[in-house]
């Protein structure tokens, strides 16, 4: 596939791994960016020979300077699509505008339920019986942009945060590469808050079984 992806990650990088392991997406990942040193995601990139860069917000005087540095890095690497795979920062407006409708985020809940950095914990403590995983297009608001793919995960009585998150991540690892492929194939048409999947007979934004 003739596309250039950057993956931004802050953590262990299991979603990055799922993207690297995908036969079409993996070879198209040109850059991994981490916002701190020593993350699992950096190790995964290095062991695949993918270029990785640490860009720490603390090195910049203002948030906006960091935002511009990130945008410049992505543009210098001729990146076309950006995937937020456990990137635990709010992407700045400069980057969002430069890559409008070309940035996807994976989030461990059925948005708009449980946005933010503690989605799994919040779902558990709310007593919800169902939560899930969402892949959405990134806009200027946090965990807000149009939904591309979503799938539900049942909350089991014996679940703790770790067990529920593990099952949600299994779903994320399937949904995220699929959404990235649809994006790079030009098959996502955004109309307001709805995303139509072109070439999908029913043009639905929901994930159908099978
Ligand atoms: C993922 O579950 C992702 O949905 C979540 O962080 C985890 C990263 O795991 N992201 C957010 O909560 C963003 N609000 P990973 O590093 O193993 O891919």
């Amino acid at each position: 596939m003739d596309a250039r992806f950057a993956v931004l990650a802050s953590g262990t990088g299991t979603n990055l791994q799922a993207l690297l392991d995908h036969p079409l997406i993996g070879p198209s990942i040109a850059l991994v960016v981490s916002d701190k040193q020593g993350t699992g995601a950096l190790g995964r990139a290095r062991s695949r020979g993918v270029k990785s860069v640490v860009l720490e917000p603390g090195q910049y005087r203002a948030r906006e300077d960091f935002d511009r540095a990130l945008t410049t890095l992505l543009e210098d690497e001729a990146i076309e699509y950006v995937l937020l795979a456990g990137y635990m920062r709010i992407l700045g407006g400069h980057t969002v505008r430069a890559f409008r409708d070309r940035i996807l985020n994976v989030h461990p809940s059925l948005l708009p339920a449980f946005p933010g950095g503690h989605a799994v914990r919040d779902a558990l403590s709310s007593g919800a019986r169902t939560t899930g995983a969402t892949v959405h297009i990134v806009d200027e608001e946090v965990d807000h942009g149009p939904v591309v793919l979503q799938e539900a995960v049942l909350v089991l009585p014996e679940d703790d945060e770790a067990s529920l998150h593990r099952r949600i991540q299994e779903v994320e690892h399937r949904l995220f590469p699929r959404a990235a492929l649809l994006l790079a194939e030009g098959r996502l048409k955004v109309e307001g808050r709805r995303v139509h999947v072109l070439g999908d007979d029913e043009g639905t934004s929901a994930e159908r079984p099978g």
Side-chain angles (χ1 to χ4, degrees):
M1 193 178 45
D2 193 19
R4 284 177 72 80
F5 287 94
V7 179
L8 276 51
S10 307
T12 55
T14 65
N15 276 284
L16 168 63
Q17 192 65 52
L19 293 162
L20 287 168
D21 289 345
H22 188 279
L24 295 175
I25 302 296
S28 303
I29 298 176
L31 178 69
V32 169
V33 182
S34 172
D35 58 346
K36 46 191 179 201
Q37 302 279 355
T39 61
L42 283 172
R44 292 174 195 269
R46 285 186 193 126
S47 68
R48 279 297 173 95
V50 174
K51 179 171 182 173
S52 58
V53 172
V54 177
L55 208 62
E56 292 174 302
Q59 295 168 340
Y60 296 86
R61 265 192 314 145
R63 223 188 100 83
E64 199 166 291
D65 296 338
F66 171 72
D67 187 17
R68 281 179 194 280
L70 176 59
T71 310
T72 302
L73 169 65
L74 297 171
E75 287 174 345
D76 285 352
E77 291 290 332
I79 296 303
E80 299 171 271
Y81 306 103
V82 180
L83 305 173
L84 308 187
Y87 188 65
M88 302 308 273
R89 324 206 138 262
I90 298 166
L91 214 57
H94 196 261
T95 314
V96 174
R97 284 190 295 279
F99 290 87
R100 173 76 65 201
D101 292 345
R102 290 184 291 139
I103 309 174
L104 296 179
N105 180 43
V106 63
H107 183 79
S109 75
L110 293 177
L111 289 173
F114 311 119
H118 308 286
V120 180
R121 194 184 310 166
D122 292 347
L124 258 185
S125 58
S126 78
R129 297 298 182 95
T130 305
T131 181
T134 300
V135 180
H136 67 94
I137 290 173
V138 171
D139 64 11
E140 279 88 346
E141 291 176 55
V142 179
D143 296 333
H144 171 269
V147 171
V148 177
L149 297 175
Q150 243 176 0
E151 194 174 307
V153 173
L154 293 182
V155 181
L156 304 178
E158 63 273 23
D159 265 332
D160 59 16
E161 190 176 341
S163 65
L164 180 56
H165 200 170
R166 246 191 323 272
R167 290 205 311 289
I168 292 172
Q169 282 183 317
E170 283 170 20
V171 174
E172 292 182 339
H173 299 163
R174 277 190 288 108
L175 293 195
F176 205 21
R178 204 178 301 167
L181 192 58
L182 290 171
L183 178 68
E185 288 176 342
R187 291 179 58 198
L188 301 181
K189 185 166 171 247
V190 185
E191 269 181 3
R193 297 227 21 99
R194 301 200 63 186
V195 177
H196 300 279
V197 179
L198 303 177
D200 179 346
D201 290 339
E202 293 173 33
T204 175
S205 60
E207 186 69 343
R208 285 199 305 274

